[in-house]
Amino acid sequence: MPTASSLGSADSRSRRVVSFPLERPRLKVRRHLRPRRGGNDATTAKSLPYCVLGPENQLLCHLAGPQGGLLSLASPLLITGPSGIGKSAFALHLAARHAVQHPVDGQPAVVHYLPAVDFARQYADAINSDDLPPLQSELDEVEILVLDDLHLIADKSAAQEELANRIDRRAESGKLTILVCRRFPSDTRGLRPRLVSRSMGGLTLNIACPGDEARRVLLSEYCLLHDLDVPPDMVHLLSAGLPDGLTPRDLEGCVKQLNLWCRMNDRAPDMEGIQFALDSLQRDSELSINAITKSVARHFRLRSADLRSSSRQQKIVRARSLAMTLARQLTTHSLHQIGESFGGRDHSTVLHAIRKTEASLVSDADLRRAAAEVTEKLGA
């Protein structure tokens, strides 16, 4: 297990990378709340109890430091970023800092952590039992509220309206509300305009994936965490071989692959093991054109056969062109291979569709949202 001193030594190798232990607040969590699948509930311990932030996340460094009093003016605070980036852990860290800085009766304030899907369920139960005031009072009166995974209630219109009311009331009383969402609410299909407006009415933080410097520090720390003695030069090689846009969870997965290779071969980490880890990541990330086609068709409520057909209906052409574009971006397949997967179209037709779609993505918010949602569901 890495220690604070070991993290400090990693930090000294890159002065622009800031690292600090993640604080945990006193949580108020209802006993009957169901844990989130996969063991990723923010109320459970994380494997690496440190936050490592590079220059790509300077504002986060500022808020997490001694000058974090800005949170008092930020309600609601909206934190966005891809899955595995550490949104929930960072939200709870900020909540813990705020709780200490704003004690109640001499004690740090209690933080109420609530997944959005559980709020929606509690709201539905309260409506069915004609007993909404207790839930409203509970959310209005708690000093600090952390509402996780806002995007998961996109299909709960009534709950969204109630949540917008509670955010308004809390802002009026000066209480801190921290919202966590995978994307900007304005880019999340199904979220009501009023909730979008309220959730983006304070301070918005987007957590970026680690850059080169932060990635090397994280890889070093994950190696220590998994008892791997990897020399700094090999850590640099491993980092250099990885694609951009990986989250800390992805980086730990790569280190786990290296650890697996070492155990299978009863050898210390070497170049062969590094290559195994890189190859494993490539195998895991490679998508099939068929999977992309199915996901795009499902999003547009079409059949995969429609996208492969010769139909020129506008909706089908739009979906087909997006699928081709994502196939080009997310796979290593050639234009010819992509064309063969879409009814035997030639590479010039595919190229034209991709260029037209890429141009449309700049100005068409609905198409951008569709691309983001499909990519997210594909796990790419």
Side-chain angles (χ1 to χ4, degrees):
M1 175 69 68
T3 64
S5 60
S6 72
L7 188 61
S9 63
D11 190 33
S12 66
R13 292 194 295 269
S14 184
R15 295 181 180 179
R16 296 200 299 164
V17 176
V18 176
S19 55
F20 50 85
L22 287 168
E23 299 181 24
R24 300 282 298 176
R26 289 193 301 155
L27 289 178
K28 176 183 179 182
V29 182
R30 289 192 175 188
R31 292 181 180 178
H32 65 269
L33 288 185
R34 295 168 294 186
R36 291 161 57 184
R37 293 181 182 178
N40 292 325
D41 189 353
T43 60
T44 63
K46 299 292 181 181
S47 61
L48 189 66
Y50 309 108
C51 187
V52 177
L53 299 174
E56 63 279 352
N57 285 309
Q58 283 187 339
L59 181 55
L60 276 69
C61 297
H62 180 80
L63 283 178
Q67 307 302 320
L70 182 64
L71 284 179
S72 300
L73 307 174
S75 190
L77 171 64
L78 173 66
I79 299 178
T80 65
S83 177
I85 200 73
K87 301 184 297 295
S88 300
F90 192 75
L92 288 174
H93 171 81
L94 293 180
R97 295 293 303 274
H98 190 79
V100 172
Q101 294 167 356
H102 299 80
V104 176
D105 298 329
Q107 296 292 325
V110 175
V111 175
H112 187 14
Y113 170 80
L114 184 63
V117 290
D118 288 309
F119 163 74
R121 179 174 53 80
Q122 292 173 22
Y123 172 75
D125 291 344
I127 290 296
N128 291 336
S129 60
D130 195 22
D131 193 27
L132 185 57
L135 176 61
Q136 294 174 324
S137 297
E138 179 182 15
L139 297 182
D140 290 346
E141 294 171 7
V142 67
E143 289 297 320
I144 304 170
L145 173 65
V146 177
L147 195 101
D148 206 354
D149 288 338
L150 184 66
H151 53 280
L152 294 183
I153 61 169
D155 59 340
K156 312 290 184 184
S157 298
Q160 291 182 46
E161 292 295 330
E162 180 62 30
L163 179 58
N165 290 335
R166 306 280 61 80
I167 293 174
D168 271 345
R169 183 63 60 87
R170 292 181 57 78
E172 291 170 0
S173 59
K175 297 182 185 298
L176 177 62
T177 304
I178 301 178
L179 305 173
V180 179
C181 192
R182 193 167 293 175
R183 295 183 301 276
F184 291 116
S186 56
D187 292 334
T188 303
R189 186 173 63 175
L191 289 185
R192 306 284 293 177
R194 185 161 174 262
L195 179 58
V196 170
S197 174
R198 298 303 184 273
S199 61
M200 300 184 71
L203 179 64
T204 298
L205 295 177
N206 181 63
I207 305 182
C209 290
D212 291 340
E213 297 166 292
R215 183 164 62 184
R216 288 194 294 270
V217 174
L218 280 166
L219 287 171
S220 296
E221 290 305 309
Y222 282 128
C223 287
L224 287 172
L225 183 66
H226 292 281
D227 297 320
L228 286 173
D229 185 12
V230 183
D233 59 333
M234 286 193 182
V235 172
H236 279 255
L237 287 172
L238 178 59
S239 178
L242 294 172
D244 294 332
L246 296 183
T247 68
R249 183 186 296 166
D250 297 327
L251 297 178
E252 184 175 17
C254 187
V255 171
K256 287 180 177 178
Q257 289 293 331
L258 177 59
N259 191 27
L260 173 64
W261 182 90
C262 292
R263 292 177 180 274
M264 288 190 307
N265 295 278
D266 194 22
R267 286 162 58 181
D270 58 21
M271 288 306 304
E272 188 177 343
I274 295 293
Q275 191 60 53
F276 174 84
L278 293 174
D279 291 344
S280 298
L281 184 65
Q282 178 64 33
R283 288 194 299 270
D284 291 343
S285 62
E286 184 66 41
L287 290 169
S288 70
I289 297 178
N290 187 49
I292 293 172
T293 303
K294 287 182 178 179
S295 187
V296 172
R298 189 178 300 114
H299 180 89
F300 285 91
R301 298 182 180 179
L302 298 168
R303 300 173 303 162
S304 296
D306 293 330
L307 273 61
R308 299 189 184 98
S309 72
S310 59
S311 173
R312 300 301 300 167
Q313 290 184 29
Q314 184 177 3
K315 181 177 181 179
I316 294 177
V317 170
R318 183 179 173 87
R320 182 191 300 129
S321 298
L322 178 59
M324 290 179 177
T325 303
L326 293 179
R328 184 61 169 169
Q329 294 176 347
L330 303 178
T331 76
T332 58
H333 293 295
S334 66
L335 293 175
H336 174 74
Q337 291 170 320
I338 294 173
E340 286 296 314
S341 298
F342 287 93
R345 287 171 167 81
D346 61 59
H347 76 280
S348 60
T349 300
V350 175
L351 183 59
H352 174 74
I354 291 173
R355 286 176 174 172
K356 187 174 181 179
T357 300
E358 289 175 340
S360 298
L361 286 169
V362 175
S363 57
D364 191 331
D366 289 338
L367 189 61
R368 276 200 311 274
R369 188 178 301 118
E373 291 179 1
V374 170
T375 302
E376 181 180 297
K377 289 178 181 178
L378 290 168

